[in-house]
Amino acid sequence: MTVLDLVKVGKNLLRRSTNSWLDSELLVSHVCDCDRVAIYRDPDTLVTPRQYRHFIELANARARGQPVAQLLGLTYFWSLSFVVDANVLIPRPETETLIETALELIPSTGHYAIADLGTGSGAIAVALALERAQAMVIATDVSSLALDVAERNRCFHKASQLFLLRGDWMAALGTKKLDFIVSNPPYVESNDSLLQDSDIRFEPRQALASGKDGLDDLRAIIKQAPERLKPDGFLLVEHGYNQGLRVRQLFAERGFQKITTRRDLGKLERVTFGQRVCQ
Ligand SMILES: C[S@@+](CC[C@H](N)C(=O)[O-])C[C@H]1O[C@@H](n2cnc3c(N)ncnc32)[C@H](O)[C@@H]1O
């Protein structure tokens, strides 16, 4: 069997997924250790029996709903590659709105202290550390298994000014005061059927669910942030598309100013920030 035949076998096995051809291409290039272009440049390359068995195993897992990124152990965020596994959320394209907003607020030079709370794979923290080389970035997570993944990504990207700490939201930061706090916390309603019925059931529940209204972790972070920010410091959070109004209210209740919400590429409210202004 050739690599191109194998893509066709995969497309058929994955016929219920929306991206069956792309998923099949990605799995073929993974098991055959070639890039996707090579499938079309050398379509007659023969597949070994071992590669075939490995492909069928992965395609069956994909057909059961396991995300391609978990099967490959790799995904892309902010044009950077990140190792992922079942212990971390797979970084999402909409989270790039958080990076874009942060980069508008964080000057390109200066020794700023930045915290990324709930870092998971470390995607946000690594992207910010690479974009703001003079800044110190502290990334925290309550999950030590997630921090192991973040450490691999930190090393791979040689983000030497990035430090990883374990702990519950701000508690992990000790007494350190920050110029910028960013976070993409869990924000899905705990009884949302997506948590059981969609492919996200393969990702850690601790990274997704946040109480009845999905706002428990956002409430905790917004409440704790003012005393951890330096005067004029900013808090930036990602949230659900329908949570913008409530999140702006939470910022206002804690005295934040310049409260602003940004939309993602799908034009949905996605990131809210505010500044701690001392009177
Ligand atoms: C939505 S995921 C975000 C992961 C990553 N920052 C990203 O954007 O891809 C939320 C992360 O928050 C972490 N988390 C959940 N509860 C936490 C807590 N109480 N304190 C610190 N981190 C927590 C989870 O382990 C998970 O890695």
Short mmCIF file of all heavy atoms in Angstrom, two decimals, residues 66-118:
data_model
loop_
_atom_site.label_atom_id
_atom_site.label_comp_id
_atom_site.label_asym_id
_atom_site.label_seq_id
_atom_site.Cartn_x
_atom_site.Cartn_y
_atom_site.Cartn_z
N GLN A 66 -10.67 10.95 19.96
CA GLN A 66 -9.46 11.51 20.57
C GLN A 66 -8.85 12.57 19.63
O GLN A 66 -8.73 12.35 18.42
CB GLN A 66 -8.44 10.39 20.85
CG GLN A 66 -7.31 10.88 21.73
CD GLN A 66 -6.52 9.75 22.36
OE1 GLN A 66 -6.81 8.56 22.15
NE2 GLN A 66 -5.51 10.11 23.13
N PRO A 67 -8.51 13.75 20.16
CA PRO A 67 -8.02 14.82 19.28
C PRO A 67 -6.71 14.44 18.57
O PRO A 67 -5.86 13.76 19.15
CB PRO A 67 -7.78 15.99 20.25
CG PRO A 67 -8.60 15.68 21.45
CD PRO A 67 -8.65 14.19 21.55
N VAL A 68 -6.58 14.91 17.34
CA VAL A 68 -5.37 14.62 16.55
C VAL A 68 -4.13 15.10 17.29
O VAL A 68 -3.10 14.42 17.32
CB VAL A 68 -5.45 15.30 15.16
CG1 VAL A 68 -4.14 15.13 14.41
CG2 VAL A 68 -6.57 14.70 14.34
N ALA A 69 -4.21 16.30 17.91
CA ALA A 69 -3.03 16.85 18.60
C ALA A 69 -2.53 15.88 19.67
O ALA A 69 -1.32 15.71 19.84
CB ALA A 69 -3.36 18.21 19.21
N GLN A 70 -3.46 15.24 20.39
CA GLN A 70 -3.04 14.27 21.43
C GLN A 70 -2.39 13.05 20.77
O GLN A 70 -1.42 12.51 21.28
CB GLN A 70 -4.24 13.81 22.25
CG GLN A 70 -4.53 14.70 23.44
CD GLN A 70 -5.68 14.15 24.28
OE1 GLN A 70 -6.13 13.02 24.13
NE2 GLN A 70 -6.16 15.00 25.18
N LEU A 71 -2.94 12.61 19.63
CA LEU A 71 -2.39 11.43 18.97
C LEU A 71 -1.00 11.71 18.41
O LEU A 71 -0.14 10.84 18.41
CB LEU A 71 -3.34 10.96 17.85
CG LEU A 71 -4.71 10.50 18.35
CD1 LEU A 71 -5.68 10.31 17.20
CD2 LEU A 71 -4.57 9.20 19.15
N LEU A 72 -0.79 12.94 17.93
CA LEU A 72 0.52 13.31 17.40
C LEU A 72 1.46 13.74 18.54
O LEU A 72 2.68 13.78 18.36
CB LEU A 72 0.41 14.48 16.41
CG LEU A 72 -0.53 14.33 15.22
CD1 LEU A 72 -0.44 15.56 14.32
CD2 LEU A 72 -0.20 13.08 14.42
N GLY A 73 0.87 14.14 19.68
CA GLY A 73 1.68 14.65 20.79
C GLY A 73 2.19 16.04 20.51
O GLY A 73 3.16 16.51 21.14
N LEU A 74 1.53 16.74 19.59
CA LEU A 74 2.08 18.01 19.12
C LEU A 74 0.97 18.89 18.56
O LEU A 74 0.03 18.40 17.95
CB LEU A 74 3.04 17.69 17.97
CG LEU A 74 3.86 18.82 17.40
CD1 LEU A 74 5.01 19.14 18.34
CD2 LEU A 74 4.40 18.44 16.03
N THR A 75 1.10 20.20 18.79
CA THR A 75 0.19 21.13 18.12
C THR A 75 0.93 22.44 17.87
O THR A 75 2.09 22.59 18.25
CB THR A 75 -1.09 21.35 18.95
OG1 THR A 75 -2.06 22.00 18.13
CG2 THR A 75 -0.83 22.22 20.18
N TYR A 76 0.24 23.37 17.22
CA TYR A 76 0.86 24.65 16.88
C TYR A 76 0.05 25.78 17.50
O TYR A 76 -1.19 25.74 17.50
CB TYR A 76 0.96 24.83 15.36
CG TYR A 76 1.98 23.88 14.80
CD1 TYR A 76 1.61 22.60 14.43
CD2 TYR A 76 3.33 24.23 14.72
CE1 TYR A 76 2.55 21.69 13.97
CE2 TYR A 76 4.27 23.33 14.27
CZ TYR A 76 3.88 22.07 13.89
OH TYR A 76 4.82 21.17 13.46
N PHE A 77 0.75 26.77 18.03
CA PHE A 77 0.11 27.94 18.64
C PHE A 77 1.06 29.10 18.44
O PHE A 77 2.25 28.98 18.71
CB PHE A 77 -0.13 27.67 20.14
CG PHE A 77 -0.70 28.84 20.89
CD1 PHE A 77 -2.06 29.14 20.82
CD2 PHE A 77 0.11 29.66 21.66
CE1 PHE A 77 -2.59 30.22 21.50
CE2 PHE A 77 -0.40 30.74 22.35
CZ PHE A 77 -1.76 31.03 22.26
N TRP A 78 0.54 30.23 17.96
CA TRP A 78 1.36 31.41 17.72
C TRP A 78 2.56 31.05 16.83
O TRP A 78 3.69 31.46 17.05
CB TRP A 78 1.83 32.00 19.08
CG TRP A 78 2.25 33.43 19.00
CD1 TRP A 78 3.53 33.92 19.15
CD2 TRP A 78 1.43 34.59 18.78
NE1 TRP A 78 3.54 35.28 19.02
CE2 TRP A 78 2.26 35.71 18.80
CE3 TRP A 78 0.05 34.76 18.55
CZ2 TRP A 78 1.78 37.01 18.61
CZ3 TRP A 78 -0.43 36.04 18.37
CH2 TRP A 78 0.43 37.14 18.40
N SER A 79 2.28 30.18 15.83
CA SER A 79 3.31 29.70 14.88
C SER A 79 4.47 28.99 15.56
O SER A 79 5.57 28.90 14.99
CB SER A 79 3.88 30.85 14.04
OG SER A 79 2.85 31.51 13.37
N LEU A 80 4.25 28.48 16.75
CA LEU A 80 5.27 27.72 17.46
C LEU A 80 4.73 26.31 17.70
O LEU A 80 3.52 26.14 17.88
CB LEU A 80 5.57 28.34 18.83
CG LEU A 80 6.06 29.80 18.85
CD1 LEU A 80 5.96 30.37 20.26
CD2 LEU A 80 7.49 29.87 18.33
N SER A 81 5.63 25.31 17.75
CA SER A 81 5.14 23.96 18.03
C SER A 81 5.18 23.70 19.54
O SER A 81 6.09 24.17 20.23
CB SER A 81 5.98 22.92 17.29
OG SER A 81 7.29 22.96 17.76
N PHE A 82 4.18 22.99 20.02
CA PHE A 82 4.08 22.66 21.45
C PHE A 82 3.78 21.18 21.63
O PHE A 82 2.86 20.65 20.99
CB PHE A 82 2.97 23.49 22.13
CG PHE A 82 3.37 24.93 22.32
CD1 PHE A 82 3.06 25.87 21.35
CD2 PHE A 82 4.08 25.31 23.44
CE1 PHE A 82 3.46 27.20 21.50
CE2 PHE A 82 4.48 26.64 23.61
CZ PHE A 82 4.16 27.58 22.64
N VAL A 83 4.54 20.56 22.52
CA VAL A 83 4.22 19.20 22.94
C VAL A 83 2.93 19.25 23.75
O VAL A 83 2.76 20.15 24.58
CB VAL A 83 5.38 18.68 23.83
CG1 VAL A 83 4.98 17.39 24.52
CG2 VAL A 83 6.64 18.50 23.03
N VAL A 84 2.02 18.31 23.50
CA VAL A 84 0.81 18.20 24.33
C VAL A 84 0.56 16.73 24.66
O VAL A 84 1.02 15.85 23.94
CB VAL A 84 -0.45 18.78 23.63
CG1 VAL A 84 -0.38 20.28 23.48
CG2 VAL A 84 -0.71 18.10 22.29
N ASP A 85 -0.13 16.51 25.76
CA ASP A 85 -0.61 15.16 26.06
C ASP A 85 -1.96 15.28 26.76
O ASP A 85 -2.53 16.39 26.85
CB ASP A 85 0.43 14.34 26.86
CG ASP A 85 0.67 14.88 28.26
OD1 ASP A 85 -0.16 15.66 28.77
OD2 ASP A 85 1.69 14.49 28.86
N ALA A 86 -2.45 14.18 27.30
CA ALA A 86 -3.81 14.17 27.86
C ALA A 86 -3.90 14.97 29.17
O ALA A 86 -4.98 15.13 29.72
CB ALA A 86 -4.27 12.74 28.08
N ASN A 87 -2.77 15.46 29.68
CA ASN A 87 -2.78 16.22 30.94
C ASN A 87 -2.92 17.71 30.75
O ASN A 87 -2.94 18.46 31.73
CB ASN A 87 -1.49 15.94 31.73
CG ASN A 87 -1.38 14.49 32.09
OD1 ASN A 87 -2.28 13.96 32.74
ND2 ASN A 87 -0.32 13.82 31.65
N VAL A 88 -2.96 18.15 29.49
CA VAL A 88 -3.06 19.61 29.24
C VAL A 88 -4.15 19.90 28.21
O VAL A 88 -4.45 19.07 27.35
CB VAL A 88 -1.72 20.21 28.73
CG1 VAL A 88 -0.65 20.09 29.79
CG2 VAL A 88 -1.29 19.61 27.41
N LEU A 89 -4.70 21.10 28.34
CA LEU A 89 -5.60 21.58 27.30
C LEU A 89 -4.80 21.77 26.01
O LEU A 89 -3.66 22.26 26.06
CB LEU A 89 -6.20 22.93 27.72
CG LEU A 89 -7.26 23.46 26.76
CD1 LEU A 89 -8.65 23.05 27.26
CD2 LEU A 89 -7.22 24.97 26.63
N ILE A 90 -5.39 21.41 24.89
CA ILE A 90 -4.74 21.69 23.60
C ILE A 90 -4.92 23.18 23.33
O ILE A 90 -6.06 23.67 23.30
CB ILE A 90 -5.36 20.84 22.48
CG1 ILE A 90 -5.17 19.35 22.79
CG2 ILE A 90 -4.74 21.19 21.13
CD1 ILE A 90 -6.09 18.43 22.01
N PRO A 91 -3.83 23.94 23.18
CA PRO A 91 -3.98 25.39 22.95
C PRO A 91 -4.89 25.66 21.76
O PRO A 91 -4.79 25.00 20.72
CB PRO A 91 -2.55 25.87 22.69
CG PRO A 91 -1.69 24.83 23.29
CD PRO A 91 -2.42 23.54 23.17
N ARG A 92 -5.77 26.64 21.91
CA ARG A 92 -6.78 26.95 20.89
C ARG A 92 -6.40 28.22 20.13
O ARG A 92 -5.83 29.16 20.71
CB ARG A 92 -8.15 27.18 21.53
CG ARG A 92 -8.65 26.06 22.42
CD ARG A 92 -8.97 24.83 21.60
NE ARG A 92 -9.96 23.97 22.23
CZ ARG A 92 -9.69 22.94 23.03
NH1 ARG A 92 -8.44 22.64 23.34
NH2 ARG A 92 -10.67 22.19 23.52
N PRO A 93 -6.83 28.31 18.84
CA PRO A 93 -6.53 29.52 18.06
C PRO A 93 -7.09 30.78 18.73
O PRO A 93 -6.45 31.84 18.67
CB PRO A 93 -7.21 29.28 16.73
CG PRO A 93 -7.46 27.82 16.66
CD PRO A 93 -7.53 27.29 18.06
N GLU A 94 -8.26 30.69 19.39
CA GLU A 94 -8.85 31.91 19.97
C GLU A 94 -7.98 32.49 21.09
O GLU A 94 -8.07 33.68 21.39
CB GLU A 94 -10.30 31.70 20.44
CG GLU A 94 -10.54 30.54 21.36
CD GLU A 94 -10.94 29.27 20.61
OE1 GLU A 94 -10.46 29.06 19.48
OE2 GLU A 94 -11.74 28.48 21.16
N THR A 95 -7.13 31.64 21.68
CA THR A 95 -6.25 32.13 22.75
C THR A 95 -5.17 33.05 22.18
O THR A 95 -4.54 33.81 22.92
CB THR A 95 -5.67 30.93 23.52
OG1 THR A 95 -6.78 30.18 24.05
CG2 THR A 95 -4.79 31.34 24.69
N GLU A 96 -4.96 33.01 20.87
CA GLU A 96 -4.01 33.95 20.27
C GLU A 96 -4.50 35.39 20.45
O GLU A 96 -3.70 36.33 20.46
CB GLU A 96 -3.76 33.59 18.81
CG GLU A 96 -3.09 32.22 18.70
CD GLU A 96 -2.54 31.90 17.33
OE1 GLU A 96 -2.76 32.70 16.41
OE2 GLU A 96 -1.89 30.85 17.19
N THR A 97 -5.82 35.59 20.61
CA THR A 97 -6.35 36.93 20.89
C THR A 97 -5.80 37.45 22.22
O THR A 97 -5.53 38.65 22.37
CB THR A 97 -7.89 36.89 20.94
OG1 THR A 97 -8.36 36.31 19.73
CG2 THR A 97 -8.50 38.27 21.11
N LEU A 98 -5.60 36.54 23.18
CA LEU A 98 -5.03 36.94 24.47
C LEU A 98 -3.57 37.39 24.28
O LEU A 98 -3.14 38.39 24.87
CB LEU A 98 -5.12 35.76 25.44
CG LEU A 98 -4.67 35.96 26.89
CD1 LEU A 98 -5.47 37.06 27.57
CD2 LEU A 98 -4.80 34.66 27.68
N ILE A 99 -2.84 36.68 23.45
CA ILE A 99 -1.43 37.06 23.19
C ILE A 99 -1.40 38.42 22.47
O ILE A 99 -0.64 39.32 22.85
CB ILE A 99 -0.73 36.00 22.30
CG1 ILE A 99 -0.81 34.61 22.93
CG2 ILE A 99 0.71 36.41 22.01
CD1 ILE A 99 0.04 34.41 24.15
N GLU A 100 -2.24 38.57 21.44
CA GLU A 100 -2.24 39.84 20.68
C GLU A 100 -2.55 41.01 21.60
O GLU A 100 -1.90 42.06 21.53
CB GLU A 100 -3.29 39.79 19.56
CG GLU A 100 -2.88 38.95 18.37
CD GLU A 100 -4.07 38.54 17.51
OE1 GLU A 100 -5.21 38.96 17.79
OE2 GLU A 100 -3.84 37.79 16.55
N THR A 101 -3.54 40.82 22.48
CA THR A 101 -3.94 41.90 23.39
C THR A 101 -2.82 42.19 24.38
O THR A 101 -2.49 43.36 24.65
CB THR A 101 -5.24 41.52 24.14
OG1 THR A 101 -6.19 41.05 23.18
CG2 THR A 101 -5.82 42.69 24.89
N ALA A 102 -2.21 41.14 24.91
CA ALA A 102 -1.11 41.34 25.86
C ALA A 102 0.04 42.09 25.20
O ALA A 102 0.62 43.00 25.80
CB ALA A 102 -0.63 39.98 26.38
N LEU A 103 0.34 41.75 23.95
CA LEU A 103 1.48 42.40 23.28
C LEU A 103 1.19 43.87 22.96
O LEU A 103 2.10 44.68 22.83
CB LEU A 103 1.87 41.64 22.01
CG LEU A 103 2.43 40.24 22.27
CD1 LEU A 103 2.76 39.54 20.96
CD2 LEU A 103 3.65 40.28 23.17
N GLU A 104 -0.10 44.22 22.85
CA GLU A 104 -0.44 45.64 22.68
C GLU A 104 -0.16 46.41 23.96
O GLU A 104 0.19 47.59 23.93
CB GLU A 104 -1.93 45.80 22.38
CG GLU A 104 -2.30 45.47 20.96
CD GLU A 104 -3.82 45.48 20.82
OE1 GLU A 104 -4.50 46.28 21.50
OE2 GLU A 104 -4.32 44.66 20.04
N LEU A 105 -0.32 45.74 25.10
CA LEU A 105 -0.20 46.42 26.39
C LEU A 105 1.22 46.37 26.96
O LEU A 105 1.65 47.28 27.69
CB LEU A 105 -1.17 45.81 27.41
CG LEU A 105 -2.66 45.95 27.08
CD1 LEU A 105 -3.51 45.14 28.04
CD2 LEU A 105 -3.08 47.42 27.13
N ILE A 106 1.95 45.31 26.68
CA ILE A 106 3.30 45.15 27.25
C ILE A 106 4.31 45.80 26.31
O ILE A 106 4.48 45.35 25.18
CB ILE A 106 3.67 43.65 27.43
CG1 ILE A 106 2.58 42.91 28.21
CG2 ILE A 106 5.02 43.52 28.14
CD1 ILE A 106 2.74 41.40 28.23
N PRO A 107 4.99 46.86 26.77
CA PRO A 107 5.97 47.50 25.88
C PRO A 107 7.04 46.49 25.42
O PRO A 107 7.35 45.53 26.14
CB PRO A 107 6.58 48.60 26.76
CG PRO A 107 5.52 48.88 27.79
CD PRO A 107 4.87 47.56 28.05
N SER A 108 7.59 46.71 24.23
CA SER A 108 8.50 45.71 23.66
C SER A 108 9.85 45.67 24.37
O SER A 108 10.58 44.69 24.24
CB SER A 108 8.68 45.91 22.17
OG SER A 108 9.02 47.24 21.94
N THR A 109 10.21 46.73 25.09
CA THR A 109 11.44 46.67 25.88
C THR A 109 11.08 47.01 27.33
O THR A 109 10.11 47.72 27.58
CB THR A 109 12.51 47.66 25.37
OG1 THR A 109 11.92 48.96 25.35
CG2 THR A 109 13.02 47.29 24.01
N GLY A 110 11.89 46.50 28.25
CA GLY A 110 11.64 46.77 29.67
C GLY A 110 11.56 45.47 30.45
O GLY A 110 11.14 44.44 29.91
N HIS A 111 11.98 45.55 31.72
CA HIS A 111 12.08 44.34 32.54
C HIS A 111 10.76 44.11 33.30
O HIS A 111 10.73 44.21 34.53
CB HIS A 111 13.28 44.44 33.48
CG HIS A 111 14.56 44.58 32.72
ND1 HIS A 111 15.27 43.49 32.26
CD2 HIS A 111 15.24 45.67 32.29
CE1 HIS A 111 16.34 43.91 31.58
NE2 HIS A 111 16.33 45.24 31.59
N TYR A 112 9.72 43.83 32.58
CA TYR A 112 8.41 43.67 33.21
C TYR A 112 8.27 42.27 33.82
O TYR A 112 8.88 41.31 33.34
CB TYR A 112 7.30 43.90 32.17
CG TYR A 112 7.31 45.32 31.67
CD1 TYR A 112 7.87 45.64 30.44
CD2 TYR A 112 6.81 46.34 32.47
CE1 TYR A 112 7.91 46.95 30.00
CE2 TYR A 112 6.85 47.66 32.03
CZ TYR A 112 7.41 47.95 30.80
OH TYR A 112 7.47 49.25 30.38
N ALA A 113 7.44 42.20 34.88
CA ALA A 113 7.13 40.91 35.49
C ALA A 113 5.73 40.51 35.05
O ALA A 113 4.76 41.24 35.27
CB ALA A 113 7.20 41.02 37.01
N ILE A 114 5.65 39.34 34.41
CA ILE A 114 4.39 38.85 33.84
C ILE A 114 4.07 37.49 34.45
O ILE A 114 4.96 36.65 34.60
CB ILE A 114 4.54 38.66 32.30
CG1 ILE A 114 5.03 39.94 31.63
CG2 ILE A 114 3.22 38.18 31.69
CD1 ILE A 114 5.44 39.75 30.17
N ALA A 115 2.81 37.28 34.82
CA ALA A 115 2.40 35.94 35.28
C ALA A 115 1.36 35.38 34.32
O ALA A 115 0.46 36.10 33.87
CB ALA A 115 1.83 36.00 36.69
N ASP A 116 1.50 34.08 34.00
CA ASP A 116 0.48 33.34 33.23
C ASP A 116 -0.10 32.30 34.18
O ASP A 116 0.59 31.33 34.54
CB ASP A 116 1.13 32.68 32.01
CG ASP A 116 0.19 31.68 31.35
OD1 ASP A 116 -1.05 31.86 31.44
OD2 ASP A 116 0.69 30.70 30.74
N LEU A 117 -1.33 32.51 34.61
CA LEU A 117 -1.95 31.61 35.60
C LEU A 117 -2.72 30.49 34.89
O LEU A 117 -3.54 30.76 34.02
CB LEU A 117 -2.90 32.39 36.50
CG LEU A 117 -2.31 33.61 37.21
CD1 LEU A 117 -3.36 34.27 38.09
CD2 LEU A 117 -1.10 33.22 38.04
N GLY A 118 -2.44 29.24 35.29
CA GLY A 118 -3.10 28.08 34.64
C GLY A 118 -2.43 27.86 33.29
O GLY A 118 -3.09 27.83 32.25
#
